[in-house]
Amino acid sequence: MLDNKENAIGVFDSGLGGLTAVKELMRQLPYEKIVYFGDTARVPYGTKSKEAIVRFSMENVLFLIKNKVKMVVIACNTSSSLALPLLKQSFRIPIIGVIEPGVKKAVRVTKNKKIGVIATSATINSEAYAKGIKKLNHSIRVASQACPLFVPLAEEGWFNNDVTFSVAREYLKPIVASRADTVILGCTHYPLLRSVIQKVLGNKVTLVDSAKEVASEVKKLLKETGLENNRRHSPKHLFWVSDQPKHFRKLAKRFLGYDIRNVKRSSDV
Ligand code: DGL
C-alpha cells in the first residue's frame, strides 16, 4: 500500500472544521485525491477527555486505512495534541498532525519572542503547543487561551457580527495583555473568524493558521517518501461522516466556498 502514489491522502477531523485543512491541501496539491472523515456523530472533541479523544482518533485512522489511504493528516488540533504520539506508535502509515507545523511557523515569525495560542480547552490543557514552542526555543514566552465558544460561532456562520466581536474581545484579553506579536489559530474553526480575531488583536499581530502550515508539511513529506502523485488529473475526493451527511454538506460550503456532492455516512465508526 505504501508505494501506491495514486492512493488518497486521508484526512480526519472531529467534524467539518478539518475542511479548512482540506481547502489548503487541494490548493497546494491539486492532483492528490483526498478521503475525508468527519466524526460528526461525536463532535466536539475539544471538551472531551484524553481517553475518549485517543479512542475516537484510533478508530478514525483505522477507518481511513480501510479506505486505502497512503498517509493520514490529523486536521483536528485536539486529536493532534492528545493522540498523535500514540497513533504514530500504533500504525506504520505516515501520520502528520497540525501542531508541529503551526509551532514551527510561529517560532520562525515572532520577533518579540512572545507567542499567543488560542484553541479548544482540551488542546490548551494538553499544553501541546506551549511545549512544542518551548522545545524549539526555550526563551519564548507563551500565552494560552481556550476559546470554546468560537467553534459554535463559526459553525453558525457568525464570522463578523457583534456577538462574535464581544466574545472575541473577552477571550482575547490575556493574549492582548501578553503583547504577543504572533498568535496561533490552534483550532480548525478559528481561520473562519480570522477577520474578527485580527481586528481585536490589531494589525501588527501575525496570525498563524495551522491548517495552511500542515499542507506545506504534507507536500514535503510526500516528496521525501516518494508518495507524491504527479499524474495530472482532477481527483474525485470523497467525504465521509459518522452522522448527518446533509447538514455536513450544507456547512461544508461555508468552509470550502463551494458545494461538495459525494458526502456519505459511515456506520463503521
Ligand atoms: N476540530 C477541533 C479542533 O481543531 C475543534 C472542534 C472540536 O472541538 O471538536 O480542535
Side-chain angles (χ1 to χ4, degrees), residues 13-15 17 43-47 75-79 120 123 151 186-189:
D13 179 47
S14 55
V43 68
Y45 284 9
T47 51
C76 179
N77 287 258
T78 306
S79 289
T120 64
T123 298
V151 169
C187 171
T188 46
H189 289 59

Side-chain angles (χ1 to χ4, degrees), residues 12 42 52-65 83 86-91 269:
F12 83 82
R42 303 188 288 202
I53 294 160
V54 168
R55 178 160 58 84
F56 297 164
S57 304
M58 284 277 190
E59 290 169 6
N60 299 344
V61 174
L62 280 171
F63 174 82
L64 289 170
I65 288 175
L86 209 84
L87 293 177
K88 277 191 158 174
Q89 276 170 33
S90 312
F91 301 99
V269 170

Side-chain angles (χ1 to χ4, degrees), residues 44-256:
Y45 284 9
T47 51
K48 300 212 165 69
S49 67
K50 180 175 178 178
E51 291 68 31
I53 294 160
V54 168
R55 178 160 58 84
F56 297 164
S57 304
M58 284 277 190
E59 290 169 6
N60 299 344
V61 174
L62 280 171
F63 174 82
L64 289 170
I65 288 175
K66 262 199 241 162
N67 279 274
K68 299 195 171 47
V69 297
K70 59 183 171 187
M71 69 171 294
V72 171
V73 179
I74 311 175
C76 179
N77 287 258
T78 306
S79 289
S80 300
S81 299
L82 292 152
L84 181 64
L86 209 84
L87 293 177
K88 277 191 158 174
Q89 276 170 33
S90 312
F91 301 99
R92 281 176 51 210
I93 191 165
I95 302 180
I96 187 165
V98 280
I99 309 300
E100 213 184 298
V103 161
K104 276 193 201 158
K105 172 74 185 268
V107 168
R108 229 174 23 244
V109 299
T110 181
K111 292 198 177 80
N112 71 1
K113 305 277 174 259
K114 289 176 185 152
I115 296 176
V117 179
I118 53 175
T120 64
S121 305
T123 298
I124 295 298
N125 292 339
S126 77
E127 294 182 28
Y129 273 111
K131 283 180 187 156
I133 292 166
K134 293 276 181 198
K135 207 168 137 192
L136 288 189
N137 186 336
H138 200 74
S139 66
I140 291 178
R141 297 248 294 271
V142 184
S144 302
Q145 176 65 40
C147 310
L149 291 174
F150 278 177
V151 169
L153 286 169
E155 297 217 347
E156 205 52 42
W158 290 8
F159 303 148
N160 223 339
N161 73 15
D162 291 349
V163 175
T164 310
F165 261 107
S166 306
V167 171
R169 268 194 292 270
E170 195 57 38
Y171 275 148
L172 297 175
K173 271 180 193 162
I175 302 290
V176 173
S178 75
R179 296 175 193 275
D181 68 352
T182 305
V183 172
I184 300 178
L185 304 176
C187 171
T188 46
H189 289 59
Y190 298 0
L192 291 168
L193 306 180
R194 190 184 186 104
S195 102
V196 169
I197 294 168
Q198 188 81 70
K199 277 182 197 145
V200 173
L201 293 175
N203 275 338
K204 288 193 181 128
V205 171
T206 305
L207 298 181
V208 172
D209 178 351
S210 295
K212 229 179 216 165
E213 301 314 314
V214 81
S216 319
E217 288 289 318
V218 170
K219 200 171 171 179
K220 240 194 276 164
L221 186 78
L222 289 179
K223 259 208 185 109
E224 281 165 17
T225 51
L227 286 173
E228 201 180 21
N229 184 3
N230 293 315
R231 194 167 70 85
R232 290 178 176 258
H233 68 135
S234 305
K236 229 179 141 201
H237 308 299
L238 261 177
F239 299 88
W240 290 93
V241 290
S242 47
D243 202 12
Q244 293 191 304
K246 274 193 197 142
H247 185 64
F248 179 88
R249 196 178 153 185
K250 199 173 118 201
L251 292 184
K253 207 171 171 183
R254 235 170 246 166
F255 279 73
L256 290 173

